[in-house]
């Protein structure tokens, strides 16, 4: 391992394994006060809560998981968009909940799950 790889590993080890950031593309702002839940699949169809939180003013979920917490395997992150939309005066929307299922293959890596939302669509990807 070279020096850069060692430093990257140290940075990864000092942050939570799963983080998220939600942006409301219809309003052009971070999605503040949106409830988020993270679960891990313990066995097929059986989901166990791993963490939860509410997005801050920047649309981020601090403390969704603890630093060093093992979340390896299949995870599901659920964004409760209905309450968010309604709290912000949006009465027409298509997705009351957005659930994203993803795999955590490397328990020492960082998995960032950004969500871009609007009342009639959403987009996500593996961020950094």
């Amino acid at each position: 391992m070279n020096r850069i790889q060692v430093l990257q590993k140290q940075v990864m080890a000092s942050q939570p394994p799963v983080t998220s950031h939600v942006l409301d593309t219809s309003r052009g702002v971070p999605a503040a006060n949106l409830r988020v839940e993270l679960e891990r699949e313990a066995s097929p169809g059986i989901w166990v809560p791993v963490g939860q939180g509410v997005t801050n003013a920047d649309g981020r979920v601090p403390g969704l998981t603890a630093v060093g917490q093992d979340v390896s395997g299949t995870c599901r992150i659920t964004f409760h968009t209905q309450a968010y939309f309604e709290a912000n005066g949006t009465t027409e929307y298509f997705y009351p909940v957005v659930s994203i299922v993803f795999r955590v293959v490397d328990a020492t890596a960082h998995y960032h799950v950004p969500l871009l939302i609007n009342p009639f669509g959403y987009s996500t990807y593996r961020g950094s």
Side-chain angles (χ1 to χ4, degrees):
M1 235 187 238
N2 66 34
R3 266 183 95 147
I4 292 174
Q5 289 172 319
V6 169
L7 288 173
Q8 287 173 330
K9 281 279 190 190
Q10 290 172 345
V11 168
M12 295 292 195
S14 67
Q15 61 184 325
V18 177
T19 57
S20 185
H21 186 201
V22 186
L23 299 174
D24 183 337
T25 59
S26 64
R27 297 174 55 222
V29 297
N33 298 312
L34 192 150
R35 188 164 56 97
V36 180
E37 298 173 339
L38 180 66
E39 301 165 292
R40 188 173 61 78
E41 192 173 34
S43 59
I46 306 298
W47 295 93
V48 176
V50 173
Q52 63 179 351
V54 175
T55 56
N56 61 18
D58 192 36
R60 298 181 186 277
V61 191
L64 183 60
T65 55
V67 173
Q69 184 175 0
D70 183 9
V71 294
S72 56
T74 301
C75 290
R76 175 172 64 189
I77 190 167
T78 301
F79 301 88
H80 295 272
T81 53
Q82 177 177 346
Y84 168 79
F85 286 133
E86 291 176 354
N88 288 286
T90 301
T91 57
E92 292 187 39
Y93 48 84
F94 191 66
Y95 299 103
V97 173
V98 173
S99 289
I100 301 163
V101 178
F102 61 98
R103 290 185 30 195
V104 173
V105 178
D106 179 357
T108 65
H110 175 240
Y111 293 81
H112 184 64
V113 185
L115 179 68
L116 306 175
I117 60 169
N118 68 65
F120 298 100
Y122 67 89
S123 178
T124 187
Y125 55 95
R126 180 174 177 188
S128 58

